[in-house]
Amino acid sequence: ILYLIGYLLWFKLLEDIPRARYHYLASIIDRMIPFAEIFIVPYISWFALQAAWVSFLFFYDREAYDKLVTILMFGMTVFLVVSTIYPTALTLRPWHVARDNVFVDAVRWLWRIDTATNVWPSIHVYNTTALMFTLFTTKDRSVIQKVRIPMCVWCVLIILSTMFLKQHSVGDVLSGLALAGIGYSLIYIKGLVMTFRSFDRRVEQVIEVRYLN
């Protein structure tokens, strides 16, 4: 939670402070991808999915939780540093959307509060991929197996939504996937994991004292 507060403050500074020059990232493929407002549903659900899945692993599998939190912090920090040094932007959002429905209204609201800057690599894609890693690396998979397929499908829809809503380019998506691969090699293969066992022990001691009393 403390890290998230720091991340949001840094990100807000990047969004609010005007930069002298932005590097615009787009390709012919990006302009071929149609705008589809229905993807606002999986895109917005990303926030709730992260919070719910991190909370679930906190109680279900602390080792998986530690790895997930570590890889999330790694990628989000890299994103902040990259965005500070190499500010990026997109010009893919349509000037006018002829359709008028609740999904279009939601997209307009999203575009108002989220500028088309600081887009590379895509944290939507990176964090979503990091969540999928946990579906295949937890030790006790009895519960995970029941939600693995629908979770993977939903995560793929979230990744696609970043392009169909013109929030990110194909390059942003690929860079997010590549960064997730680097994070996986460091955290899941090399074992560079932050743990919070001292906090766990203090909580256990408090519970034990209260139980004995």
Side-chain angles (χ1 to χ4, degrees):
I1 293 175
L2 291 176
Y3 175 84
L4 183 59
I5 293 173
Y7 171 85
L8 292 175
L9 291 174
W10 190 344
F11 181 75
K12 182 170 177 54
L13 286 175
L14 293 175
E15 291 280 288
D16 294 343
I17 298 177
R19 316 297 290 275
R21 179 188 176 190
Y22 286 99
H23 301 270
Y24 291 90
L25 308 175
S27 66
I28 297 176
I29 298 177
D30 293 311
R31 305 196 184 280
M32 293 173 60
I33 298 174
F35 169 75
E37 66 270 19
I38 189 64
F39 278 93
I40 189 65
V41 176
Y43 187 90
I44 294 297
S45 72
W46 177 76
F47 299 95
L49 177 64
Q50 284 188 105
W53 196 247
V54 169
S55 301
F56 168 72
L57 288 181
F58 180 84
F59 295 102
Y60 179 73
D61 187 332
R62 288 307 299 272
E63 183 177 345
Y65 166 85
D66 289 341
K67 291 179 179 178
L68 177 58
V69 170
T70 301
I71 196 172
L72 291 178
M73 289 182 176
F74 166 75
M76 293 164 74
T77 302
V78 170
F79 162 76
L80 291 174
V81 173
V82 170
S83 296
T84 301
I85 300 173
Y86 187 78
T88 56
L90 290 177
T91 56
L92 295 173
R93 294 177 178 178
W95 290 100
H96 176 68
V97 180
R99 299 180 296 277
D100 190 13
N101 53 58
V102 64
F103 302 113
V104 172
D105 291 340
V107 174
R108 289 177 179 143
W109 167 80
L110 173 66
W111 287 347
R112 283 196 301 269
I113 65 172
D114 186 14
T115 66
T117 59
N118 306 308
V119 294
W120 186 86
S122 170
I123 285 300
H124 246 76
V125 172
Y126 176 89
N127 284 14
T128 302
T129 306
L131 294 184
M132 285 195 287
F133 289 157
T134 64
L135 298 173
F136 301 92
T137 57
T138 52
K139 290 183 177 180
D140 183 2
R141 301 183 180 182
S142 57
V143 175
I144 302 296
Q145 286 178 345
K146 298 178 182 178
V147 299
R148 180 181 295 160
I149 293 178
M151 275 277 290
C152 284
V153 172
W154 197 251
C155 286
V156 170
L157 289 175
I158 290 174
I159 292 173
L160 292 175
S161 73
T162 63
M163 293 178 287
F164 281 99
L165 293 181
K166 304 303 179 179
Q167 287 290 98
H168 287 284
S169 68
V170 173
D172 304 334
V173 172
L174 294 177
S175 62
L177 293 174
L179 182 59
I182 295 173
Y184 181 87
S185 65
L186 293 175
I187 284 87
Y188 288 88
I189 297 178
K190 299 293 185 181
L192 303 178
V193 181
M194 293 188 300
T195 62
F196 305 91
R197 295 295 177 255
S198 59
F199 172 78
D200 289 347
R201 286 194 293 271
R202 287 197 296 270
V203 172
E204 291 172 356
Q205 289 172 358
V206 170
I207 293 175
E208 183 179 359
V209 169
R210 291 182 178 177
Y211 176 77
L212 292 176
N213 290 337

